[in-house]
Amino acid sequence: MAILDILVYPDPALREPAREVTEFGGKLKKLVSDMCETMYVSKGVGLAAPQVGVPLKLFVADWEGGKYVVINPEITETEGEERADEGCLSFPGIYEEVARPGRIRIRYLDEDGERHDEMVEGFLARVYSHETDHLNGKLFIDNLSPLKRSFIRKKMSKKARSD
Ligand code: NI
């Protein structure tokens, strides 16, 4: 296993929509296990492939001892709204309250290419929604007020220059 480098905002690759995964084999499994390892080491609850510079529709999540691998996801229904603090491994040290659906229906493939169609709620629905956004080049700051967004943008750009 290998620890991958996580791209940090404002890296332009984070804004690119990802491609569908079409090959299920050893190479994909290696990527999944490297992404899981990277997520654990970074103490994240979710990590999307574009965050490690791989433009594929794939994310991993770790929640309450469960490991989730989600490929080519499509959120087909959303219900309700919940607000909670959220962070992102591409925005180290930044946490903001974000509104997300309380319950979602999601269709996806697992790492063996098996189809799933599930209702997910609570915190896991939040993670799935956040990570699915990454696959479309959307970031959690896009859900904040323009004022907060511009504050974070300035803070992160300043940080990028000083690193
Ligand atoms: Ni994120």
Side-chain angles (χ1 to χ4, degrees), residues 34-149:
D34 288 349
M35 281 176 61
C36 287
E37 191 67 8
T38 304
M39 172 176 63
Y40 297 141
V41 166
S42 319
K43 303 201 177 345
V45 289
L47 181 67
Q51 291 180 277
V52 292
V54 179
L56 289 177
K57 293 195 172 188
L58 152 68
F59 68 78
V60 295
D62 173 46
W63 178 241
E64 290 185 335
K67 185 190 94 170
Y68 304 89
V69 178
V70 175
I71 297 171
N72 299 343
E74 199 189 333
I75 294 175
T76 54
E77 282 170 46
T78 64
E79 229 179 82
E81 188 187 275
E82 279 174 21
R83 306 188 70 90
D85 274 354
E86 211 172 289
C88 178
L89 290 174
S90 295
F91 292 79
I94 307 254
Y95 299 90
E96 289 289 342
E97 193 182 78
V98 177
R100 297 271 180 195
R103 198 168 140 93
I104 62 167
R105 182 168 185 175
I106 185 167
R107 258 193 240 148
Y108 65 95
L109 304 174
D110 62 26
E111 60 189 316
D112 297 312
E114 297 290 326
R115 284 172 201 282
H116 297 259
D117 187 347
E118 290 168 4
M119 297 296 297
V120 182
E121 57 186 12
F123 191 77
L124 199 56
R126 171 170 302 274
V127 175
Y128 278 16
S129 161
H130 175 120
E131 301 306 329
T132 301
D133 278 352
H134 270 299
L135 308 182
N136 298 313
K138 195 175 169 196
L139 300 170
F140 86 118
I141 58 164
D142 300 344
N143 298 310
L144 303 175
S145 70
L147 191 68
K148 268 195 182 152
R149 195 158 56 233

